[in-house]
Structure formats: C-alpha cells, structure tokens
Amino acid sequence: MLKISNALTRIKPSATIAATRKAREMRAQGISVIALSQGEPDFDTPEHVKEAACAAIMKGGMTYPPVPGLPQLRQAIQRKFERDNGLAYKEDEIIVSSGGKQVISNALLATLDAGDEVIIPAPYWVSYPEMVALFGGTPVIVAAAASNGFKMTAEQLRAAITPKTRWLMLNSPSNPSGAVYSHDEMKALTDVLVEFPDVMIMADDIYEHLIYNDLPFATPAAVEPRLKERTLTVNGVSKAYAMTGWRIGYAGGPRALIAAMEKAQGQTTSGASVPGQRAAIAALDGEQGFLAERLQSFHERRDVVVDMLNAADGIHCLVPEGAFYVFPSCEGALGKVFNGRVLNTSEDFTAALLESEGVALVHGEGFGLPGHFRISYASDIADLKEACLRIQRFCASLQAVAA
C-alpha cells in the first residue's frame, strides 16, 4: 500500500477546487448547475497580449528560461512596481514563478522551520494555512469580524505576535471577503510591525486593480518604507488581465529572500513558461485602459448580487470594496430544516443548496470563518441573477425546527 508523506497528512484538499469539481460532475450527469465557486474572470485575455504571445512563439527561442524569469519580464515588473506602487526593486530583487501560488510556496519553503508561526487573518484564501502547514509552519488564525469589514485590527495583530512569529500573510483586496485596507488601516498595521523586526510581511496584491469607488490601493512596503526590506510583495497577471491559465506570478522583495526562493524554484519547476512570460510582458507594458471597463462591469455585477442576496431569507451580505467576491452570512438560515435535515453549518447550507437548486458555492469553513459562504461574481450577469433567484427560493423553502 502506498505510504503518504507526513507533510501531506497535515493539509486538506482545497474547498474551492472540491466545489468546482462537484459542479462539473453534476453537469456531466445532465444536471443544470450554476458554478460560482471559482475565482476566475470570465473575460478573455486581451487581444494585444495574445498577439504578443503568438508572435513570440513564431519567432522561436522557446528554450529553458532563467530560473527567476526572463530579464525582459523582470524589467517590466520593475516598471510596474514603480508606476503603480512607487516601489523601486532591482532586477535581482524580483522573481517570476508559475503562478502566484508558487511564489508564496517558494517563500514559505525557503523560510519556514518546524514550529515557526504565520499569522493569517480570517477569512483567508483557502490555500494560505494549508501551504504553511505543508512546509512545517504553524498557522495562527486571527478572526477578522464582519463588524469590522472582515479586516484585522492593529490590536489583534499585536496580540497574535509571539517570539515564534515568522510571517504575516495579508491579502488586500481580500479573497474571499473583498475587504480593502485603507491607507490609514494599513498604516496602523505597519506601525505595529515596525516594532517587531523579526516578522516578515507577505503582501498578496493579486486583486490590486479590482477596487471600487476610487478607493486608493495601499500595500505595506509603500505605506511604510521601513518595512520594504522584510516585505515580499506578491502579484501576478491572472486576475486583472484574465490570464489564469497562463500561470505567471511574480514578487519583489529583499535580495536574500529572492535568492532563496530562486534556489527552491531551481530544484522544483525551474523557470516559468516562456510563452506565458512573453505574454506577461505585453500585459504589464501594454495598454491598460480596458482595466477600468472591466472593473465597471464587476462593480455592476457586485451591486446586483448584493441586493438580491440581501432579499433572501436569513442572508446578510456586506458590500465588498474590492475583488470579485461576496462573503455573505447565512447564519439566519442555519438551524432550519431541508428535506428532514437540520442545516447546522455553512457547509451543510452550501451542500443542500447545490443538491436542491444546482448552485455551487464555497462554504465559510474553507475560509476559516463558518456561518458564511463565498460567491464569485466573475460570471455572466444572467447566470448571477438566476443563481440569486435560486438562493432566494431555497432560503424561502427552509422550515423551522418543529417544537
């Protein structure tokens, strides 16, 4: 019998992937399913990006790339950081990987030892604590309450830091809540971090270009320059540029950390796909006007989804400030009965909704905050409206527990 490593026994499968897989299986059986479980833009990769990639392929030169990325892409990333964030990185302070997830994995692999703690505000992206555990670290979960817009406070951060704290992982705009830390809120956190020189900061900025109502974007190394030498600023082309399948993530950070991440990447995957890197150059250096148009489309969808969810019995949905997710509470529907079963958890709620109405969502347990669920509204507006109608119908059908 196959022996599975101890490292793998420490982690759970992705709740997001599990929900998406279940939806695909049901569709294969001919069941009508609206899947709002995956965080993937429904727009296509911009034409000028595709054309640049095709031209590069036809030109040739598709040989092994340098492990940390093509020099031309690293230079484009330098320009992006300077242009968008006011951050100056040298070329050897930048790494390119096969998606943002590999960037984060490289950093954790390069820096964590058994017992090292990583602070993660909840709700969190499903992979954060699992990656920490995979590489031997200990996730320290800090619950960011809905009453504070799902944002961790400076007081909570200070209380969570111990002599074993190695990293803080911070995602703004947030997956799954859409929460955005303002400059002042970010400054309150960085003021605490300045006091703890052994704590590294991982700023996951992947949803940087998806912020509504003209709110300014704040990233830790720009808000507090004293933290730049211990901050890894993570980003990629997947969300803003609708390039999830191209698998290009990148980061800027201190030279020693980037060198350690390069060492780890050199013995695992080596350099990222050359066509993907060429496409990323065109994305970062090319015309950016379409970003505002797509943001407006997401904004309109967000408002429709929030309004319709708040009209459902037992559902309460905050208005997110960024990304393309809502993270409603379903606590008002819990304790009710569906087909003779009491729905005690948000996992029960989403499973029953999928069974009854064919709407695939991700339960809050997967994001570290039970009693909620995540909807990705990066989908066709007609599908979103139909899904919300089905959620309303499902919630209206639930019965109170008999006395």
Side-chain angles (χ1 to χ4, degrees):
M1 187 171 68
L2 177 66
K3 181 183 181 299
I4 302 299
S5 72
N6 289 333
L8 278 185
T9 65
R10 295 195 294 264
I11 66 174
K12 304 184 296 291
S14 166
T16 304
I17 293 174
T20 303
R21 181 188 299 119
K22 179 64 175 177
R24 288 174 179 158
E25 292 171 354
M26 292 176 66
R27 282 175 175 160
Q29 298 168 13
I31 301 170
S32 171
V33 176
I34 300 175
L36 305 178
S37 50
Q38 198 157 24
E40 185 167 39
D42 62 325
F43 297 108
D44 196 10
T45 302
E47 287 300 317
H48 70 277
V49 175
K50 293 190 289 185
E51 290 168 2
C54 290
I57 291 170
M58 295 309 297
K59 185 178 179 180
M62 297 290 116
T63 56
Y64 287 130
V67 171
L70 295 173
Q72 299 93 326
L73 177 53
R74 296 167 89 187
Q75 291 157 16
I77 293 165
Q78 285 180 287
R79 292 188 289 272
K80 175 264 177 287
F81 277 130
E82 181 68 39
R83 178 185 71 231
D84 295 343
N85 309 118
L87 292 173
Y89 289 108
K90 294 182 172 61
E91 191 174 319
D92 62 359
E93 295 177 319
I94 290 171
I95 190 169
V96 177
S97 301
S98 299
K101 186 177 282 190
Q102 190 188 16
V103 173
I104 297 169
S105 295
N106 285 340
L108 297 176
L109 174 61
T111 60
L112 288 184
D113 288 318
D116 286 345
E117 295 177 351
V118 178
I119 297 172
I120 305 173
Y124 46 68
W125 179 43
V126 295
S127 292
Y128 287 153
E130 306 306 322
M131 286 193 285
V132 169
L134 180 64
F135 296 116
T138 301
V140 175
I141 307 304
V142 177
S147 59
N148 196 47
F150 298 116
K151 288 178 273 193
M152 180 178 62
T153 67
E155 292 75 17
Q156 287 180 301
L157 173 60
R158 184 185 299 278
I161 295 174
T162 77
K164 295 181 179 180
T165 303
R166 185 66 169 149
W167 286 95
L168 164 67
M169 301 180 79
L170 198 62
N171 177 214
S172 174
S174 162
N175 173 7
S177 70
V180 177
Y181 286 83
S182 69
H183 182 279
D184 288 348
E185 290 167 335
M186 188 68 76
K187 185 65 166 63
L189 298 181
T190 60
D191 284 349
V192 172
L193 292 163
V194 166
E195 301 175 30
F196 296 91
D198 294 330
V199 178
M200 299 285 291
I201 302 96
M202 188 178 297
D204 184 349
D205 294 353
I206 196 71
Y207 296 97
E208 170 188 6
H209 292 297
L210 296 171
I211 301 180
Y212 307 111
N213 302 324
D214 297 320
L215 291 174
F217 174 67
T219 194
V223 169
E224 178 47 81
R226 287 179 291 176
L227 294 177
K228 182 171 179 284
E229 287 306 308
R230 50 189 172 101
T231 298
L232 185 70
T233 304
V234 181
N235 214 314
V237 295
S238 60
K239 308 299 182 178
Y241 299 96
M243 295 175 65
T244 52
W246 296 82
R247 308 310 303 137
I248 299 296
Y250 59 85
R255 184 179 291 108
L257 174 59
I258 296 299
M261 293 168 63
E262 179 183 345
K263 182 179 180 180
Q265 184 162 297
Q267 294 293 8
T268 52
T269 62
S270 292
S273 159
V274 172
Q277 292 195 59
R278 294 292 182 185
I281 295 169
L284 295 177
D285 279 346
E287 192 272 327
Q288 307 287 304
F290 67 92
L291 294 175
E293 299 171 6
R294 294 184 176 186
L295 180 65
Q296 180 59 34
S297 177
F298 284 133
H299 193 166
E300 293 168 359
R301 301 181 208 186
R302 180 202 70 174
D303 291 347
V304 167
V305 169
V306 169
D307 287 347
M308 293 187 71
L309 288 174
N310 280 325
D313 295 342
I315 304 297
H316 176 66
C317 185
L318 297 179
V319 180
E321 296 171 317
F324 42 64
Y325 309 104
V326 291
F327 196 61
S329 167
C330 59
E331 290 180 350
L334 300 184
K336 295 185 178 181
V337 178
F338 166 76
N339 276 359
R341 307 195 307 268
V342 178
L343 306 182
N344 292 311
T345 67
S346 53
E347 186 170 6
D348 294 341
F349 178 90
T350 56
L353 175 65
L354 180 59
E355 175 187 334
S356 174
E357 295 287 351
V359 178
L361 312 175
V362 188
H363 53 78
E365 284 83 354
F367 302 103
L369 200 63
H372 295 74
F373 59 88
R374 190 193 76 174
I375 289 180
S376 168
Y377 53 85
S379 189
D380 180 79
I381 188 67
D383 284 344
L384 292 171
K385 289 179 178 178
E386 175 61 24
C388 289
L389 286 172
R390 295 185 188 188
I391 293 170
Q392 290 175 356
R393 185 167 61 213
F394 172 74
C395 289
S397 73
L398 301 179
Q399 302 295 313
V401 175

